[in-house]
């Protein structure tokens, strides 16, 4: 089975929660901006994968068509009768042969420069989403603890209440 990021839903689909006063407004805004940038990066990675895959299919199809046309031209009886046409057909066949090698090189290059880095980058989005989920869990626990502390601070200053607040 080949790696295909298009079959999976995006990892970054749940926005991180606001800190509700545990951090300042600028930190919340910065987190939101980073999250949006990461979402865009994930989306662009999928688009890039799709476009390069389509590009590879197009150049492979073009190569097949060029080879078919070259073969048919070389096997044509009209070309066999005329020396100039035969020379043009042989040159054209030579070009399509070279084009085949260049197409293979281009596919390997796109594999090394696009697909392999995307294979390494895509799992990181899952790790980021897990870290954001852990952050939200810790944030909700901190907010609950803060509300309990505020309630304890409002109670009468007896020994048990002071110990509970601490």
């Amino acid at each position: 089975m080949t790696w295909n990021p298009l079959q999976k839903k995006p990892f970054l689909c749940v926005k991180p929660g606001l800190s509700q006063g545990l951090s300042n407004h600028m930190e919340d805004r910065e987190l939101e901006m980073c999250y949006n940038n990461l979402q865009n990066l994930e989306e662009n990675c999928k688009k890039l994968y799709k476009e390069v895959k389509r590009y590879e299919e197009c150049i492979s199809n073009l190569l097949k068509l060029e080879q078919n046309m070259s073969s048919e031209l070389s096997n044509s009886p009209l070309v066999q009768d005329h020396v100039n046409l035969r020379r043009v057909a042989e040159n054209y066949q030579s070009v399509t042969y070279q084009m085949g090698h260049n197409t293979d090189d281009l596919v390997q290059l796109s594999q090394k420069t696009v697909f392999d880095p995307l294979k390494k980058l895509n799992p990181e989005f899952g790790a980021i989403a897990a870290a954001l989920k852990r952050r939200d869990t810790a944030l909700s626990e901190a907010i609950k603890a803060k509300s309990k502390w505020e309630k304890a601070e409002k109670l009468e200053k007896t020994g048990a209440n002071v110990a509970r607040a601490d």
Side-chain angles (χ1 to χ4, degrees), residues 10-16 31-49 118 121-122 125 128 132:
F11 286 109
L12 299 173
C13 54
V14 178
K15 273 193 164 185
L31 176 65
E32 188 174 336
M33 287 173 42
C34 289
Y35 176 79
N36 289 336
N37 288 341
L38 285 169
Q39 264 188 327
N40 290 337
L41 179 62
E42 183 180 19
E43 183 181 321
N44 289 337
C45 285
K46 288 183 180 187
K47 286 180 183 178
L48 179 64
Y49 178 85
L118 285 178
L121 180 63
N122 201 42
F125 294 118
I128 292 168
L132 287 173

mmCIF file of all heavy atoms in Angstrom, residues 10-16 31-49 118 121-122 125 128 132:
data_model
loop_
_atom_site.group_PDB
_atom_site.id
_atom_site.type_symbol
_atom_site.label_atom_id
_atom_site.label_comp_id
_atom_site.label_asym_id
_atom_site.label_seq_id
_atom_site.Cartn_x
_atom_site.Cartn_y
_atom_site.Cartn_z
ATOM 1 N N PRO A 10 -7.877 15.797 7.866
ATOM 2 C CA PRO A 10 -6.807 16.640 8.426
ATOM 3 C C PRO A 10 -6.650 16.404 9.930
ATOM 4 O O PRO A 10 -7.622 16.192 10.645
ATOM 5 C CB PRO A 10 -7.264 18.063 8.130
ATOM 6 C CG PRO A 10 -8.625 17.983 7.583
ATOM 7 C CD PRO A 10 -8.951 16.560 7.293
ATOM 8 N N PHE A 11 -5.411 16.422 10.383
ATOM 9 C CA PHE A 11 -5.136 16.252 11.803
ATOM 10 C C PHE A 11 -5.548 17.495 12.585
ATOM 11 O O PHE A 11 -6.093 17.393 13.674
ATOM 12 C CB PHE A 11 -3.640 16.003 12.040
ATOM 13 C CG PHE A 11 -3.188 14.635 11.635
ATOM 14 C CD1 PHE A 11 -2.382 14.460 10.531
ATOM 15 C CD2 PHE A 11 -3.558 13.519 12.364
ATOM 16 C CE1 PHE A 11 -1.956 13.197 10.157
ATOM 17 C CE2 PHE A 11 -3.139 12.263 12.007
ATOM 18 C CZ PHE A 11 -2.342 12.098 10.898
ATOM 19 N N LEU A 12 -5.280 18.649 12.022
ATOM 20 C CA LEU A 12 -5.517 19.902 12.736
ATOM 21 C C LEU A 12 -6.912 20.421 12.409
ATOM 22 O O LEU A 12 -7.092 21.279 11.548
ATOM 23 C CB LEU A 12 -4.452 20.928 12.352
ATOM 24 C CG LEU A 12 -3.022 20.527 12.683
ATOM 25 C CD1 LEU A 12 -2.043 21.533 12.118
ATOM 26 C CD2 LEU A 12 -2.842 20.382 14.171
ATOM 27 N N CYS A 13 -7.904 19.878 13.085
ATOM 28 C CA CYS A 13 -9.275 20.309 12.820
ATOM 29 C C CYS A 13 -9.957 20.874 14.065
ATOM 30 O O CYS A 13 -11.043 21.408 13.979
ATOM 31 C CB CYS A 13 -10.095 19.166 12.212
ATOM 32 S SG CYS A 13 -10.087 17.668 13.172
ATOM 33 N N VAL A 14 -9.323 20.762 15.227
ATOM 34 C CA VAL A 14 -9.891 21.288 16.472
ATOM 35 C C VAL A 14 -8.997 22.417 16.962
ATOM 36 O O VAL A 14 -7.823 22.199 17.270
ATOM 37 C CB VAL A 14 -9.994 20.182 17.548
ATOM 38 C CG1 VAL A 14 -10.542 20.747 18.839
ATOM 39 C CG2 VAL A 14 -10.851 19.039 17.054
ATOM 40 N N LYS A 15 -9.572 23.628 17.012
ATOM 41 C CA LYS A 15 -8.792 24.783 17.462
ATOM 42 C C LYS A 15 -8.436 24.655 18.940
ATOM 43 O O LYS A 15 -9.228 24.147 19.725
ATOM 44 C CB LYS A 15 -9.607 26.067 17.264
ATOM 45 C CG LYS A 15 -9.477 26.670 15.916
ATOM 46 C CD LYS A 15 -10.048 28.058 15.912
ATOM 47 C CE LYS A 15 -9.550 28.759 14.674
ATOM 48 N NZ LYS A 15 -9.943 30.138 14.624
ATOM 49 N N PRO A 16 -7.250 25.134 19.303
ATOM 50 C CA PRO A 16 -6.892 25.119 20.726
ATOM 51 C C PRO A 16 -7.754 26.106 21.509
ATOM 52 O O PRO A 16 -8.124 27.162 21.000
ATOM 53 C CB PRO A 16 -5.416 25.532 20.734
ATOM 54 C CG PRO A 16 -5.206 26.254 19.461
ATOM 55 C CD PRO A 16 -6.190 25.682 18.477
ATOM 56 N N LEU A 31 -0.742 31.835 19.653
ATOM 57 C CA LEU A 31 -1.085 30.419 19.514
ATOM 58 C C LEU A 31 -2.101 30.221 18.391
ATOM 59 O O LEU A 31 -1.971 29.310 17.571
ATOM 60 C CB LEU A 31 -1.630 29.863 20.834
ATOM 61 C CG LEU A 31 -2.106 28.415 20.787
ATOM 62 C CD1 LEU A 31 -0.939 27.476 20.521
ATOM 63 C CD2 LEU A 31 -2.822 28.045 22.059
ATOM 64 N N GLU A 32 -3.101 31.088 18.340
ATOM 65 C CA GLU A 32 -4.120 30.980 17.291
ATOM 66 C C GLU A 32 -3.517 31.218 15.907
ATOM 67 O O GLU A 32 -3.841 30.511 14.950
ATOM 68 C CB GLU A 32 -5.248 31.975 17.562
ATOM 69 C CG GLU A 32 -6.435 31.789 16.641
ATOM 70 C CD GLU A 32 -7.601 32.678 17.017
ATOM 71 O OE1 GLU A 32 -7.715 33.091 18.184
ATOM 72 O OE2 GLU A 32 -8.404 32.958 16.112
ATOM 73 N N MET A 33 -2.622 32.196 15.805
ATOM 74 C CA MET A 33 -1.977 32.461 14.509
ATOM 75 C C MET A 33 -1.099 31.287 14.088
ATOM 76 O O MET A 33 -1.108 30.873 12.917
ATOM 77 C CB MET A 33 -1.158 33.756 14.588
ATOM 78 C CG MET A 33 -2.020 35.001 14.621
ATOM 79 S SD MET A 33 -1.139 36.556 14.922
ATOM 80 C CE MET A 33 0.300 36.436 13.950
ATOM 81 N N CYS A 34 -0.351 30.720 15.023
ATOM 82 C CA CYS A 34 0.482 29.546 14.709
ATOM 83 C C CYS A 34 -0.383 28.368 14.295
ATOM 84 O O CYS A 34 -0.042 27.635 13.357
ATOM 85 C CB CYS A 34 1.346 29.169 15.908
ATOM 86 S SG CYS A 34 2.668 30.331 16.238
ATOM 87 N N TYR A 35 -1.501 28.188 14.971
ATOM 88 C CA TYR A 35 -2.414 27.097 14.624
ATOM 89 C C TYR A 35 -2.949 27.281 13.199
ATOM 90 O O TYR A 35 -2.993 26.331 12.418
ATOM 91 C CB TYR A 35 -3.567 27.029 15.635
ATOM 92 C CG TYR A 35 -4.588 25.989 15.283
ATOM 93 C CD1 TYR A 35 -4.354 24.648 15.544
ATOM 94 C CD2 TYR A 35 -5.782 26.336 14.661
ATOM 95 C CE1 TYR A 35 -5.278 23.684 15.209
ATOM 96 C CE2 TYR A 35 -6.708 25.381 14.319
ATOM 97 C CZ TYR A 35 -6.459 24.056 14.593
ATOM 98 O OH TYR A 35 -7.369 23.106 14.244
ATOM 99 N N ASN A 36 -3.346 28.506 12.867
ATOM 100 C CA ASN A 36 -3.841 28.779 11.507
ATOM 101 C C ASN A 36 -2.754 28.531 10.467
ATOM 102 O O ASN A 36 -3.027 27.973 9.395
ATOM 103 C CB ASN A 36 -4.371 30.210 11.402
ATOM 104 C CG ASN A 36 -5.668 30.401 12.154
ATOM 105 O OD1 ASN A 36 -6.403 29.447 12.387
ATOM 106 N ND2 ASN A 36 -5.945 31.624 12.545
ATOM 107 N N ASN A 37 -1.525 28.935 10.780
ATOM 108 C CA ASN A 37 -0.412 28.686 9.848
ATOM 109 C C ASN A 37 -0.173 27.190 9.662
ATOM 110 O O ASN A 37 0.087 26.722 8.551
ATOM 111 C CB ASN A 37 0.865 29.368 10.339
ATOM 112 C CG ASN A 37 0.815 30.868 10.197
ATOM 113 O OD1 ASN A 37 0.015 31.403 9.427
ATOM 114 N ND2 ASN A 37 1.642 31.567 10.942
ATOM 115 N N LEU A 38 -0.264 26.429 10.746
ATOM 116 C CA LEU A 38 -0.085 24.980 10.652
ATOM 117 C C LEU A 38 -1.212 24.328 9.849
ATOM 118 O O LEU A 38 -0.976 23.399 9.073
ATOM 119 C CB LEU A 38 -0.006 24.365 12.046
ATOM 120 C CG LEU A 38 1.305 24.578 12.780
ATOM 121 C CD1 LEU A 38 1.171 24.172 14.240
ATOM 122 C CD2 LEU A 38 2.427 23.812 12.105
ATOM 123 N N GLN A 39 -2.431 24.823 10.028
ATOM 124 C CA GLN A 39 -3.555 24.309 9.230
ATOM 125 C C GLN A 39 -3.315 24.573 7.748
ATOM 126 O O GLN A 39 -3.538 23.692 6.914
ATOM 127 C CB GLN A 39 -4.860 24.981 9.654
ATOM 128 C CG GLN A 39 -5.678 24.221 10.630
ATOM 129 C CD GLN A 39 -7.031 24.878 10.846
ATOM 130 O OE1 GLN A 39 -7.184 26.089 10.793
ATOM 131 N NE2 GLN A 39 -8.021 24.053 11.110
ATOM 132 N N ASN A 40 -2.870 25.785 7.429
ATOM 133 C CA ASN A 40 -2.577 26.119 6.029
ATOM 134 C C ASN A 40 -1.451 25.252 5.488
ATOM 135 O O ASN A 40 -1.508 24.807 4.332
ATOM 136 C CB ASN A 40 -2.213 27.597 5.893
ATOM 137 C CG ASN A 40 -3.392 28.509 6.114
ATOM 138 O OD1 ASN A 40 -4.536 28.105 5.960
ATOM 139 N ND2 ASN A 40 -3.132 29.736 6.498
ATOM 140 N N LEU A 41 -0.440 25.005 6.303
ATOM 141 C CA LEU A 41 0.672 24.165 5.876
ATOM 142 C C LEU A 41 0.197 22.744 5.583
ATOM 143 O O LEU A 41 0.578 22.147 4.564
ATOM 144 C CB LEU A 41 1.763 24.153 6.939
ATOM 145 C CG LEU A 41 2.986 23.297 6.642
ATOM 146 C CD1 LEU A 41 3.704 23.795 5.394
ATOM 147 C CD2 LEU A 41 3.925 23.281 7.830
ATOM 148 N N GLU A 42 -0.642 22.207 6.443
ATOM 149 C CA GLU A 42 -1.158 20.856 6.223
ATOM 150 C C GLU A 42 -1.981 20.795 4.937
ATOM 151 O O GLU A 42 -1.831 19.873 4.132
ATOM 152 C CB GLU A 42 -2.002 20.420 7.419
ATOM 153 C CG GLU A 42 -2.513 19.001 7.304
ATOM 154 C CD GLU A 42 -3.338 18.570 8.493
ATOM 155 O OE1 GLU A 42 -3.830 19.429 9.256
ATOM 156 O OE2 GLU A 42 -3.500 17.353 8.658
ATOM 157 N N GLU A 43 -2.813 21.789 4.732
ATOM 158 C CA GLU A 43 -3.634 21.841 3.515
ATOM 159 C C GLU A 43 -2.762 21.984 2.267
ATOM 160 O O GLU A 43 -2.976 21.302 1.261
ATOM 161 C CB GLU A 43 -4.606 23.023 3.622
ATOM 162 C CG GLU A 43 -5.558 23.158 2.469
ATOM 163 C CD GLU A 43 -6.467 24.355 2.644
ATOM 164 O OE1 GLU A 43 -6.912 24.627 3.776
ATOM 165 O OE2 GLU A 43 -6.736 25.030 1.631
ATOM 166 N N ASN A 44 -1.751 22.832 2.346
ATOM 167 C CA ASN A 44 -0.860 23.036 1.201
ATOM 168 C C ASN A 44 -0.026 21.795 0.902
ATOM 169 O O ASN A 44 0.282 21.519 -0.253
ATOM 170 C CB ASN A 44 0.049 24.245 1.433
ATOM 171 C CG ASN A 44 -0.718 25.543 1.357
ATOM 172 O OD1 ASN A 44 -1.776 25.630 0.748
ATOM 173 N ND2 ASN A 44 -0.189 26.574 1.995
ATOM 174 N N CYS A 45 0.342 21.046 1.934
ATOM 175 C CA CYS A 45 1.072 19.790 1.717
ATOM 176 C C CYS A 45 0.218 18.812 0.924
ATOM 177 O O CYS A 45 0.710 18.148 0.008
ATOM 178 C CB CYS A 45 1.487 19.167 3.049
ATOM 179 S SG CYS A 45 2.869 19.993 3.837
ATOM 180 N N LYS A 46 -1.046 18.725 1.279
ATOM 181 C CA LYS A 46 -1.945 17.824 0.550
ATOM 182 C C LYS A 46 -2.135 18.289 -0.895
ATOM 183 O O LYS A 46 -2.145 17.475 -1.820
ATOM 184 C CB LYS A 46 -3.291 17.732 1.260
ATOM 185 C CG LYS A 46 -3.205 16.944 2.539
ATOM 186 C CD LYS A 46 -4.541 16.790 3.197
ATOM 187 C CE LYS A 46 -4.376 15.986 4.476
ATOM 188 N NZ LYS A 46 -5.641 15.646 5.082
ATOM 189 N N LYS A 47 -2.276 19.594 -1.081
ATOM 190 C CA LYS A 47 -2.424 20.124 -2.443
ATOM 191 C C LYS A 47 -1.165 19.877 -3.269
ATOM 192 O O LYS A 47 -1.247 19.507 -4.439
ATOM 193 C CB LYS A 47 -2.729 21.623 -2.404
ATOM 194 C CG LYS A 47 -4.126 21.949 -1.985
ATOM 195 C CD LYS A 47 -4.336 23.449 -1.974
ATOM 196 C CE LYS A 47 -5.720 23.813 -1.479
ATOM 197 N NZ LYS A 47 -5.915 25.277 -1.431
ATOM 198 N N LEU A 48 -0.011 20.088 -2.654
ATOM 199 C CA LEU A 48 1.259 19.872 -3.347
ATOM 200 C C LEU A 48 1.397 18.413 -3.755
ATOM 201 O O LEU A 48 1.801 18.104 -4.885
ATOM 202 C CB LEU A 48 2.430 20.292 -2.461
ATOM 203 C CG LEU A 48 3.826 20.101 -3.036
ATOM 204 C CD1 LEU A 48 4.008 20.986 -4.259
ATOM 205 C CD2 LEU A 48 4.873 20.415 -1.985
ATOM 206 N N TYR A 49 1.072 17.507 -2.851
ATOM 207 C CA TYR A 49 1.132 16.074 -3.157
ATOM 208 C C TYR A 49 0.235 15.761 -4.357
ATOM 209 O O TYR A 49 0.649 15.071 -5.288
ATOM 210 C CB TYR A 49 0.689 15.266 -1.933
ATOM 211 C CG TYR A 49 0.668 13.782 -2.182
ATOM 212 C CD1 TYR A 49 1.816 13.019 -2.031
ATOM 213 C CD2 TYR A 49 -0.500 13.138 -2.577
ATOM 214 C CE1 TYR A 49 1.806 11.670 -2.258
ATOM 215 C CE2 TYR A 49 -0.526 11.778 -2.819
ATOM 216 C CZ TYR A 49 0.632 11.053 -2.659
ATOM 217 O OH TYR A 49 0.616 9.712 -2.903
ATOM 218 N N LEU A 118 7.399 14.983 2.306
ATOM 219 C CA LEU A 118 6.016 15.036 2.766
ATOM 220 C C LEU A 118 5.677 13.830 3.638
ATOM 221 O O LEU A 118 4.903 13.947 4.586
ATOM 222 C CB LEU A 118 5.051 15.105 1.580
ATOM 223 C CG LEU A 118 4.965 16.450 0.872
ATOM 224 C CD1 LEU A 118 4.013 16.373 -0.318
ATOM 225 C CD2 LEU A 118 4.521 17.546 1.813
ATOM 226 N N LEU A 121 6.966 14.819 6.953
ATOM 227 C CA LEU A 121 6.293 15.973 7.546
ATOM 228 C C LEU A 121 4.879 15.640 8.006
ATOM 229 O O LEU A 121 4.438 16.132 9.044
ATOM 230 C CB LEU A 121 6.260 17.124 6.538
ATOM 231 C CG LEU A 121 5.594 18.424 6.981
ATOM 232 C CD1 LEU A 121 6.361 19.022 8.153
ATOM 233 C CD2 LEU A 121 5.532 19.409 5.835
ATOM 234 N N ASN A 122 4.166 14.816 7.260
ATOM 235 C CA ASN A 122 2.757 14.559 7.547
ATOM 236 C C ASN A 122 2.511 13.987 8.948
ATOM 237 O O ASN A 122 1.591 14.437 9.625
ATOM 238 C CB ASN A 122 2.161 13.653 6.471
ATOM 239 C CG ASN A 122 0.667 13.761 6.406
ATOM 240 O OD1 ASN A 122 0.108 14.840 6.485
ATOM 241 N ND2 ASN A 122 0.010 12.632 6.305
ATOM 242 N N PHE A 125 2.016 16.528 11.909
ATOM 243 C CA PHE A 125 0.741 17.191 12.158
ATOM 244 C C PHE A 125 -0.064 16.417 13.204
ATOM 245 O O PHE A 125 -0.751 17.014 14.026
ATOM 246 C CB PHE A 125 -0.063 17.348 10.862
ATOM 247 C CG PHE A 125 0.585 18.274 9.871
ATOM 248 C CD1 PHE A 125 0.980 17.817 8.627
ATOM 249 C CD2 PHE A 125 0.806 19.607 10.177
ATOM 250 C CE1 PHE A 125 1.579 18.662 7.724
ATOM 251 C CE2 PHE A 125 1.407 20.459 9.277
ATOM 252 C CZ PHE A 125 1.797 19.984 8.048
ATOM 253 N N ILE A 128 1.436 17.239 16.521
ATOM 254 C CA ILE A 128 1.036 18.595 16.938
ATOM 255 C C ILE A 128 -0.393 18.575 17.458
ATOM 256 O O ILE A 128 -0.705 19.193 18.485
ATOM 257 C CB ILE A 128 1.192 19.586 15.761
ATOM 258 C CG1 ILE A 128 2.670 19.782 15.433
ATOM 259 C CG2 ILE A 128 0.523 20.911 16.071
ATOM 260 C CD1 ILE A 128 2.933 20.507 14.135
ATOM 261 N N LEU A 132 -1.662 19.587 21.166
ATOM 262 C CA LEU A 132 -2.717 20.572 21.411
ATOM 263 C C LEU A 132 -3.827 19.977 22.279
ATOM 264 O O LEU A 132 -4.387 20.659 23.138
ATOM 265 C CB LEU A 132 -3.292 21.084 20.090
ATOM 266 C CG LEU A 132 -2.397 22.036 19.309
ATOM 267 C CD1 LEU A 132 -2.990 22.336 17.943
ATOM 268 C CD2 LEU A 132 -2.175 23.329 20.088
#
